[in-house]
Amino acid sequence: MMSSLGGTEKMATIFFCIVLFLATSVSSASLKVGFYKSSCPSAEMIVRKAVNKAVSKNPGLAAGLIRMHFHDCFVRGCDGSVLLDSTPGNPSEKESPVNNPSLRGFEVIDEAKAEIEAQCPQIVSCADVLAFAARDSAYKVGGINYAVPSGRRDGRVSLKDEPTLHLPPPFFNAKQLEENFARKGLSLDEMVTLSGAHSIGVSHCSSFSNRLYSFNATHPQDPSMDPEFARYLKTKCPPASNTGSDPTVPLEVQTPNRLDNKYYKDLTNHRGLLTSDQTLFDSPSTKRVVKKNARYGANWGNKYAAAMVRMGAIDVLTGTKGEIRKHCRVVNYR
């Protein structure tokens, strides 16, 4: 609400609304807001309804759908390749250790797509359904709403080995993260801003347990982590055993089901869970952005919306490229 914001944040909010408009305009060369206005006017409402129903029952699915869109766009562009099931002799992206078993929300996409197909057969792509679902998840758990340029088409290739080549692992430092996002055409600020999605969702203990028990030869525990936070994590993540158990903990403990800027406040208090989180505050190149995002929540929300629009335009298939799948898990039979 504009009236509750300080003068500086008012200006920032106005500025980033302009940025959001420009980001939408930039991607409009190949994508367009309201792409299905005539061909399938109920498409976006169907997706929002499916997301709202699923997230109301299981709030964790919001993080799953946002993460799925990110994993889709960073591998082969935003083409729905992450949604494809494996076929004999061809394990898909779903089978990558980056995605399996942690990626979730596929059934939400399936439900929305089935209803859309019943009303508008082979009009709306699975890639667009996923982009809408990520937006609707952010709105449901964070009140962050934005127009999604659409018109993506679906790819026909999904390979198990590709996600690990393109997605940043949890041990990356700020420089590595900057380079990883730059390869996809995203800026340093956008990288830090999109990392704020870690204010929701969970992480397996195995993704950060080295920070608790085997950080380096001098310090078994990462000295940059708040000691009280480390003690809490050790109660949730005992030393690795041979039982095969790998518990999960919230990526952000204060409001684990609310997409907000408390993630950045945690970083300033040395309570980032993953190395790739805490490095954003510990590194000079990104510290200033973290501090601003921690201080100005509405400003961060606007930046997040603009960055999601930019991410959603990575290497998209449009026009006659790709196809419009009938079912998101399989390519069309030819």
Side-chain angles (χ1 to χ4, degrees):
M1 300 236 313
M2 221 36 123
S3 60
S4 66
L5 300 175
T8 303
E9 195 164 358
K10 276 185 187 177
M11 291 302 295
T13 301
I14 293 168
F15 173 72
F16 279 106
C17 284
I18 294 169
V19 170
L20 177 57
F21 171 76
L22 291 175
T24 303
S25 300
V26 167
S27 60
S28 67
S30 54
L31 303 176
K32 177 184 173 186
V33 172
F35 184 83
Y36 300 109
K37 189 175 181 180
S38 300
S39 58
C40 191
S42 59
E44 292 193 47
M45 188 51 65
I46 289 171
V47 177
R48 178 157 289 194
K49 193 174 165 187
V51 169
N52 286 345
K53 184 176 87 170
V55 174
S56 292
K57 292 179 182 175
N58 180 1
L61 285 175
L65 290 164
I66 292 170
R67 182 168 177 252
M68 192 188 297
H69 184 42
F70 168 55
H71 283 215
D72 185 36
C73 290
F74 267 52
V75 181
R76 293 188 165 268
C78 312
D79 69 343
S81 58
V82 74
L83 302 171
L84 287 170
D85 285 344
S86 298
T87 56
N90 180 41
S92 70
E93 292 171 31
K94 283 184 179 179
E95 304 307 318
S96 167
V98 177
N99 293 329
N100 184 21
S102 60
L103 213 57
R104 53 195 172 142
F106 294 105
E107 70 282 1
V108 183
I109 303 300
D110 291 340
E111 181 181 327
K113 174 65 170 172
E115 188 169 342
I116 289 172
E117 283 298 299
Q119 294 192 25
C120 324
Q122 281 194 271
I123 297 291
V124 181
S125 69
C126 297
D128 277 343
V129 171
L130 180 51
F132 296 147
R135 182 267 315 275
D136 296 337
S137 296
Y139 184 56
K140 176 70 173 171
V141 299
I144 300 173
N145 200 14
Y146 53 95
V148 174
S150 48
R152 298 166 189 79
R153 288 171 65 86
D154 298 320
R156 293 178 53 84
V157 176
S158 182
L159 303 174
K160 175 185 176 181
D161 294 338
E162 290 194 336
T164 51
L165 300 176
H166 296 277
L167 290 163
F171 54 79
F172 261 15
N173 61 35
K175 184 65 177 171
Q176 291 170 312
L177 289 168
E178 180 183 2
E179 291 169 352
N180 178 269
F181 276 65
R183 282 195 289 273
K184 303 300 177 183
L186 297 172
S187 70
L188 180 71
D189 193 291
E190 286 168 330
M191 179 271 286
V192 179
T193 296
L194 289 171
S195 296
H198 279 184
S199 85
I200 54 174
V202 298
S203 172
H204 285 277
C205 293
S206 58
S207 294
F208 60 87
S209 58
N210 67 302
R211 299 187 69 203
L212 301 176
Y213 301 109
S214 56
F215 185 65
N216 61 31
T218 310
H219 302 281
Q221 183 175 299
D222 186 345
S224 73
M225 183 182 283
D226 172 60
E228 185 183 337
F229 185 50
R231 281 193 295 274
Y232 159 77
L233 291 176
K234 286 179 177 179
T235 67
K236 304 293 182 183
C237 302
S241 64
N242 295 323
T243 61
S245 172
D246 192 6
T248 60
V249 297
L251 283 160
E252 192 270 291
V253 179
Q254 293 186 69
T255 53
N257 293 318
R258 181 73 186 169
L259 183 61
D260 56 28
N261 70 326
K262 287 191 175 62
Y263 163 82
Y264 299 101
K265 294 177 182 179
D266 276 355
L267 298 187
T268 64
N269 292 319
H270 301 281
R271 289 179 165 234
L273 191 65
L274 307 177
T275 297
S276 57
D277 291 326
Q278 193 57 51
T279 186
L280 300 179
F281 182 69
D282 296 343
S283 302
S285 64
T286 49
K287 189 169 192 169
R288 181 184 59 84
V289 183
V290 170
K291 282 184 169 181
K292 284 185 72 174
N293 289 349
R295 187 173 181 183
Y296 303 111
N299 181 13
W300 168 75
N302 286 318
K303 289 202 302 175
Y304 174 85
M308 285 294 284
V309 170
R310 290 254 301 139
M311 186 188 80
I314 295 173
D315 295 337
V316 292
L317 301 175
T318 57
T320 58
K321 295 177 182 177
E323 64 183 17
I324 306 295
R325 283 183 221 140
K326 295 177 185 176
H327 304 282
C328 292
R329 292 173 181 265
V330 294
V331 298
N332 295 338
Y333 178 75
R334 289 183 175 178

